[in-house]
Amino acid sequence: MMKLWTNAHLATLAGAQPWGWIEQGALITQGAHIVWVGEADQVPAELRGQITASYDLAGAVITPGLIDCHTHLVYGGLRAKEFEQRLQGASYEEIARAGGGIRSTVSATRAASEDELFEAAAGRLRHLLAEGVTSIEIKSGYGLSLAAERASLRVARRLGEHFDVTVRTSYLAAHALPPEFAGRQDDYVSALCDWMAQLHAEGLIDAVDAFCEGIGFTPAQTRRVFEAAHRLGLPVKLHAEQLSDQGGTQLACEFAALSCDHLEYLSPAGIAAMAASGCVATLLPGAYYFLRETKLPPVQALREAGVSIAISTDHNPGTSPTLSLLLMLNMACTLFRLTPEEALRGVTVNAAKSLGLADRGQLLAGQRADFCVWDVQHPNELAYFFGRNPLRQVVQGGQLRGEAF
Ligand code: NIG
Ligand code: FE
């Protein structure tokens, strides 16, 4: 079944034009994919004859579907109390070292049933979908035992089955040290590498992540995690240089990491390694804002080095409880000084790259037909407004969301 989507202003994010702009554009989709994109008056005659349904987009702006490429969506409990503590003067690291922070979410996650985790995460996912998210990465990392990491990853998979969204999972057992391994960090790394093989055999892992940091894992331990991932043929990514420069980025690039994320303390050597290996820099303005970080990621140096920049919510209960990817577009511009076009590329084409998904992120023949229909005059408004959701419709795999099959 071939569908024509016409009367649209297209931000294809492909080609040499700013925004990949096509002023009077049209798209043709077949099944889940785009088969043609161009000027509305140039639809090829041989395709026109095969069109079985036509949609008038009424002059709306169309962008690729949004991709939230770094989230910790599955967890139990909340950390609003910790937010209060920080307002009373405690730092994020102090709270973490005192057994709060990530570990308090671990207790709440372990105490929750899979159904409870699913319901809580589903409620959060609905907010993201309502702003045009069509693909999302979801990490484990609040279970930190075989059973609880499995439960989180199973919930992530179930979200992908239940909702109209592509879910990619990342195994982040190397997020924090669980209490039962206190004083035995290297033993924990051995255990999580064994679990990785099991959970991969169960089809639950698409990529492997780690938190390389003073309050996380050392570069040597991170290396062991990456070696285990490599043996299984799994791609890696890293929470790198968020609170200090550990050189985790260079290590990740040795393993051809898909992305390094956070990067406030990234060094010139780290930037060079990313440029050489084609690693995506995923910037997380929500965590920067919520932690009241003052050290900016080196955006201009990343640009000059030609490193692709992605943007994500980093949704998690401790450092970035946002459920608005559109707000992150605005913050990427106001806080990190990205241009609105760079910000949009950061949640589409570059976010896709950070997940190893070559079939989405641009409006191009051959790509998946995931796109958003926006009530705006120009795509720069997506980054300009904050707290306004101009999403009119979403097309996911060639199908209008909510439309009966
Ligand atoms: O991406 N940096 C480590 N992980 C999360 C925070 C986790 C938490 O505090 O619960 C992040 O910021
Ligand atoms: Fe994170």
Side-chain angles (χ1 to χ4, degrees):
M1 176 158 177
M2 235 181 235
K3 297 176 180 171
L4 172 69
W5 309 82
T6 190
N7 195 8
H9 303 305
L10 302 179
T12 66
L13 305 181
Q17 279 288 101
W19 306 89
W21 190 246
I22 302 178
E23 178 66 26
Q24 291 299 335
L27 291 151
I28 299 175
T29 60
Q30 185 168 34
H33 290 88
I34 298 171
V35 292
W36 183 87
V37 182
E39 305 279 348
D41 59 4
Q42 287 173 21
V43 173
E46 69 273 18
L47 292 183
R48 197 172 274 288
Q50 298 177 59
I51 288 162
T52 45
S54 188
Y55 297 79
D56 184 341
L57 297 171
V61 167
I62 312 299
T63 68
L66 306 191
I67 301 173
D68 197 355
C69 65
H70 177 139
T71 83
H72 308 248
L73 204 69
V74 178
Y75 57 84
L78 291 176
R79 302 244 290 280
K81 185 74 210 163
E82 188 182 304
F83 178 53
E84 283 192 54
Q85 286 170 347
R86 287 202 288 113
L87 283 160
Q88 283 151 10
S91 75
Y92 178 68
E93 278 166 296
E94 279 160 10
I95 293 167
R97 288 190 196 282
I102 295 178
R103 270 182 282 169
S104 72
T105 301
V106 171
S107 308
T109 303
R110 287 178 175 183
S113 69
E114 242 176 81
D115 283 345
E116 286 166 343
L117 290 174
F118 177 83
E119 286 306 326
R124 297 189 272 265
L125 181 57
R126 283 191 190 97
H127 287 273
L128 294 167
L129 298 183
E131 286 192 351
V133 168
T134 53
S135 299
I136 185 169
E137 184 252 23
I138 301 178
K139 302 173 194 296
S140 68
Y142 289 120
L144 311 186
S145 67
L146 175 59
E149 287 291 296
R150 177 186 282 128
S152 300
L153 292 166
R154 281 167 50 101
V155 166
R157 284 276 187 255
R158 210 169 123 197
L159 290 166
E161 286 153 19
H162 194 269
F163 289 93
D164 233 355
V165 67
T166 301
V167 170
R168 300 293 286 179
T169 60
S170 296
Y171 174 67
L172 178 60
H175 195 196
L177 188 66
E180 57 277 18
F181 280 89
R184 296 187 297 127
Q185 190 136 3
D186 286 318
D187 291 346
Y188 178 60
V189 172
S190 303
L192 76 87
C193 291
D194 292 345
W195 306 339
M196 187 195 300
Q198 288 193 50
L199 298 174
H200 179 47
E202 293 170 27
L204 292 172
I205 304 179
D206 297 323
V208 172
D209 196 349
F211 184 29
C212 183
E213 189 54 69
I215 55 167
F217 293 83
T218 64
Q221 289 161 344
T222 304
R223 178 181 290 281
R224 290 179 56 208
V225 176
F226 285 173
E227 282 167 355
H230 244 54
R231 282 194 292 275
L232 296 170
L234 284 166
V236 302
K237 43 185 47 243
L238 188 65
H239 283 71
E241 337 305 359
Q242 179 185 10
L243 307 169
S244 61
D245 179 19
Q246 300 278 322
T249 300
Q250 295 90 307
L251 172 68
C253 292
E254 266 183 58
F255 288 85
L258 290 171
S259 71
C260 285
D261 304 31
H262 287 289
L263 302 175
E264 280 83 347
Y265 290 79
L266 182 63
S267 67
I271 296 170
M274 294 184 88
S277 75
C279 180
V280 175
T282 300
L283 305 183
L284 305 167
Y288 173 92
Y289 162 82
F290 198 66
L291 289 176
R292 301 185 78 234
E293 179 58 69
T294 51
K295 183 144 171 52
L296 285 161
V299 170
Q300 184 55 23
L302 286 166
R303 258 190 208 120
E304 282 165 12
V307 175
S308 302
I309 297 176
I311 301 294
S312 170
T313 59
D314 188 20
H315 175 84
N316 76 74
T319 66
S320 192
T322 180
L323 287 164
S324 174
L325 190 54
L326 289 176
L327 178 60
M328 297 306 102
L329 291 187
N330 176 268
M331 286 191 180
C333 298
T334 53
L335 300 175
F336 294 168
R337 314 309 289 162
L338 264 65
T339 67
E341 183 182 350
E342 285 174 327
L344 184 63
R345 288 180 184 274
V347 296
T348 52
V349 57
N350 293 345
K353 193 175 164 198
S354 83
L355 298 178
L357 295 173
D359 66 344
R360 64 198 71 197
Q362 294 172 300
L363 301 176
L364 266 182
Q367 291 251 301
R368 259 185 72 86
D370 290 352
F371 52 89
C372 295
V373 183
W374 303 100
D375 258 323
V376 295
Q377 308 275 311
H378 191 278
N380 60 15
E381 292 171 43
L382 300 177
Y384 162 76
F385 287 110
F386 57 107
R388 173 190 175 214
N389 179 7
L391 184 71
R392 191 190 293 171
Q393 279 172 325
V394 172
V395 175
Q396 175 90 21
Q399 194 76 30
L400 268 172
R401 239 185 221 163
E403 185 189 52
F405 283 89

